[in-house]
Amino acid sequence: MDYAETGGSHGSAPGLLDTENGNIPGFGLSATSMSDWALGNDYLQFDFNYSNGNIDYVGSYINSNAGYGSVKSSSTAHIYNYSARYGKGFSLSKQTMLTPYVELGHHRWERGLSATQDETYSHNYGGLGLLLQAAPVNKLVLNADLFYGRTFQSKISTNSYTLPEATLGNSSFKRYGVGADYAFSQRFHGKISYSHESYSYGISDLSSYGYYEPNSTTKNDIFRVGIGYAF
């Protein structure tokens, strides 16, 4: 995870305000189907993943002139992702299939900065993707995935009375990835994948106490290793 907040609004100095970086372990569950029940080669996927861990925090105290880097600590992170896809596959050859799809999803990040300060960022997103699958040899399927969409209903909620909840600006949502699936048997498969995603949160309105949530960007590199079972 690579998260960064930047200044430059409401009289704040431009540049980095704080960052959070680190590796967060987790697990996921996914169910995928391709069958002829509507348009032919109908592709359907539901996915859930959860991550929980500590990441490095670098920032500064509010109303401090010390600047970015004057505070270094760690924060807790609980991250939930839900998504659903629907698409139609087109056979390019006996070994290759291209599947355009639509995807809707939800993201929630529970950010624990200290024992007394908690923040929760969340958004929904939707967009279009392309999944390319190829079988170069028997039992092995390689895939490449591209997705572009938009976030919506982005918001932050906190346990602070200065900014208990605020609407955040939406942004583009980009993702690309590659993966491999190897059939150890007719039922059991081994799976590995890598994907990169990026999105932003726009600045919130000022609260009645004069505080606001600044602009931020998030970039995630996601590595997965797992076992699949074919019904």
Side-chain angles (χ1 to χ4, degrees):
M1 180 177 183
D2 181 6
Y3 172 82
E5 293 182 357
T6 53
S9 300
H10 297 303
S12 67
L16 285 174
L17 297 177
D18 64 65
T19 58
E20 291 189 57
N21 296 273
N23 299 320
I24 309 172
F27 72 92
L29 297 171
S30 181
T32 304
S33 172
M34 180 167 278
S35 58
D36 298 329
W37 58 269
L39 302 176
N41 285 337
D42 298 277
Y43 168 62
L44 190 63
Q45 177 176 290
F46 299 97
D47 188 86
F48 163 77
N49 62 76
Y50 167 74
S51 299
N52 175 22
N54 295 305
I55 51 180
D56 295 329
Y57 172 87
V58 179
S60 63
Y61 291 111
I62 295 176
N63 298 323
S64 169
N65 293 323
Y68 172 76
S70 58
V71 176
K72 296 182 180 180
S73 63
S74 65
S75 62
T76 61
H78 299 271
I79 299 175
Y80 303 82
N81 291 294
Y82 308 85
S83 65
R85 294 179 178 182
Y86 173 75
K88 174 179 169 57
F90 296 90
S91 296
L92 304 182
S93 70
K94 290 183 178 181
Q95 291 81 29
T96 310
M97 177 169 281
L98 182 65
T99 306
Y101 63 85
V102 295
E103 178 176 328
L104 292 173
H106 175 77
H107 170 81
R108 177 183 175 92
W109 171 29
E110 297 176 358
R111 180 192 193 197
L113 293 173
S114 67
T116 59
Q117 185 178 1
D118 293 325
E119 300 176 344
T120 297
Y121 295 81
S122 64
H123 67 260
N124 299 317
Y125 71 88
L128 302 174
L130 277 176
L131 174 64
L132 176 64
Q133 297 169 292
V137 296
N138 190 31
K139 298 184 178 181
L140 177 65
V141 176
L142 305 178
N143 68 76
D145 194 355
L146 291 174
F147 177 82
Y148 181 85
R150 294 284 301 179
T151 63
F152 60 97
Q153 295 180 338
S154 300
K155 65 179 182 179
I156 179 176
S157 59
T158 78
N159 62 348
S160 171
Y161 64 88
T162 58
L163 188 70
E165 185 171 287
T167 298
L168 301 175
N170 300 310
S171 76
S172 61
F173 184 102
K174 304 172 185 178
R175 185 183 64 230
Y176 60 84
V178 292
D181 180 303
Y182 184 81
F184 293 108
S185 68
Q186 185 177 0
R187 295 295 186 186
F188 288 97
H189 294 235
K191 305 169 85 67
I192 60 172
S193 69
Y194 162 77
S195 61
H196 175 86
E197 64 182 23
S198 61
Y199 53 88
S200 302
Y201 290 129
I203 190 171
S204 70
D205 292 332
L206 277 169
S207 72
S208 57
Y209 294 90
Y211 291 93
Y212 68 95
E213 183 66 16
N215 293 309
S216 68
T217 59
T218 301
K219 299 176 182 179
N220 295 322
D221 291 301
I222 303 166
F223 301 87
R224 293 186 180 186
V225 178
I227 294 294
Y229 182 81
F231 292 92

